[in-house]
Amino acid sequence: MLSFGFGVSKISGQYKVVCINRDGSAHHVYTLGTGAWRRVEACPASGFGFNLDGRIECNGNLHWTVYDSTRPLLICGFDVETECFSIFSAPPAAVDERLTVELSVLSDCLCVSYVWGHEIVIWSMKEYRVEESWTIEYRLSTNGFNFDFGIRNRMESVYPIKVFNDGDVLMLMVANDINFYYRKRHLIYYSSKTDTIQQLGMINEQLGTIGSYGMVAEQHLTIEDVYVENHLTRAMIFTPALLSLKSFGIENVISF
């Protein structure tokens, strides 16, 4: 199982694609324009398994959460310029196997967020790779708020998208559901002025009714339909750029 990240070096200006192998056995880098993948040594990341839902860019590094047999959660950074890995700790309270931890970037700081009971907790790393600088940025209570994700379900995770100048926060919420393919996703908005959370809307998954491969035949759909149409939804801020995709050209890439 592979995870791909995309970044640009602020020094050399080179665009690179990073291919991470979940079991940590082999990682590769492709620099646009070179035509070939290169294997990179894991070094500090050796022996760690990678969670594939990372790829957050901050401070010139791409990030994934990683784990090994003794530690359930650490953070791995990959420096796009030097092509070196580094490992550092997540906030102590986030190291719990029951938590679904999300990585994000808010106000140029690497952040960790999770849901604990009836609270949304967001940590911010004030100084990059300085573990002592982890600070709780938000602790938001969800008591009294009626989210539309079913009476038997609960909030599983929250992905912060943007913090506004007045302290308000836009987030993507994922509800926990026994049916993996029917996990509702909502945009929610925290108002610092009123200390309330408002639901902005729901992002519908196309194959929400398919909960197991056994139902695929009944729905007259193929396995390929499930994989193609049921990708997990993400939300992010759109940043306009003057760089045209046409300038990249067509890459004739030798597979690794």
Side-chain angles (χ1 to χ4, degrees):
M1 296 183 67
L2 306 176
S3 176
F4 291 88
F6 180 67
V8 59
S9 168
K10 295 182 179 179
I11 299 175
S12 65
Q14 292 179 319
Y15 288 86
K16 299 180 182 181
V17 181
V18 184
C19 178
I20 297 295
N21 196 312
R22 182 175 184 174
D23 63 10
S25 59
H27 310 306
H28 294 80
V29 173
Y30 177 75
T31 302
L32 266 67
T34 61
W37 288 89
R38 293 175 290 103
R39 182 166 178 167
V40 291
E41 296 299 325
C43 295
S46 297
F48 288 95
F50 282 71
N51 295 309
L52 300 184
D53 54 352
R55 310 177 299 278
I56 299 301
E57 194 281 331
C58 181
N59 203 56
N61 286 246
L62 294 166
H63 298 86
W64 288 260
T65 53
V66 297
Y67 56 90
D68 64 9
S69 59
T70 61
R71 289 165 290 188
L73 182 69
L74 291 166
I75 297 174
C76 177
F78 178 81
D79 191 310
V80 178
E81 174 64 30
T82 64
E83 300 182 0
C84 293
F85 290 92
S86 60
I87 299 289
F88 51 93
S89 297
V95 184
D96 190 310
E97 294 180 345
R98 295 169 293 178
L99 297 176
T100 301
V101 174
E102 297 280 2
L103 293 179
S104 60
V105 177
L106 298 175
S107 302
D108 297 326
C109 291
L110 186 66
C111 290
V112 163
S113 59
Y114 55 85
V115 177
W116 179 252
H118 295 284
E119 280 190 328
I120 298 170
V121 183
I122 303 175
W123 293 76
S124 178
M125 194 175 221
K126 298 299 184 182
E127 297 181 54
Y128 185 68
R129 287 203 314 194
V130 177
E131 298 172 357
E132 295 77 17
S133 70
W134 282 115
T135 305
I136 293 183
E137 203 73 42
Y138 290 90
R139 177 170 273 147
L140 312 176
S141 174
T142 60
N143 282 323
F145 302 121
N146 182 25
F147 297 116
D148 179 25
F149 51 61
I151 189 170
R152 294 180 304 168
N153 303 323
R154 59 180 176 81
M155 188 184 302
E156 178 180 282
S157 64
V158 169
Y159 177 75
I161 301 171
K162 182 176 177 61
V163 172
F164 297 91
N165 292 334
D166 57 4
D168 291 3
V169 188
L170 178 66
M171 297 168 277
L172 179 68
M173 182 199 74
V174 180
N176 189 8
D177 196 299
I178 192 171
N179 185 338
F180 178 80
Y181 296 98
Y182 196 49
R183 293 186 176 183
K184 296 181 180 178
R185 288 158 175 79
H186 305 259
L187 286 173
I188 58 176
Y189 190 91
Y190 167 74
S191 171
S192 60
K193 184 176 181 179
T194 61
D195 195 28
T196 57
I197 297 176
Q198 176 186 1
Q199 182 175 304
L200 300 182
M202 180 175 69
I203 302 174
N204 292 313
E205 297 293 344
Q206 292 181 341
L207 292 184
T209 58
I210 297 181
S212 66
Y213 293 138
M215 297 176 62
V216 172
E218 298 175 15
Q219 300 278 342
H220 304 290
L221 295 171
T222 66
I223 294 297
E224 287 74 15
D225 290 328
V226 175
Y227 284 118
V228 170
E229 296 187 26
N230 195 43
H231 291 298
L232 299 182
T233 305
R234 278 282 185 170
M236 64 186 70
I237 295 295
F238 170 69
T239 303
L242 298 177
L243 184 64
S244 170
L245 291 177
K246 294 180 180 179
S247 64
F248 288 109
I250 298 176
E251 299 282 320
N252 185 15
V253 183
I254 299 174
S255 178
F256 52 81

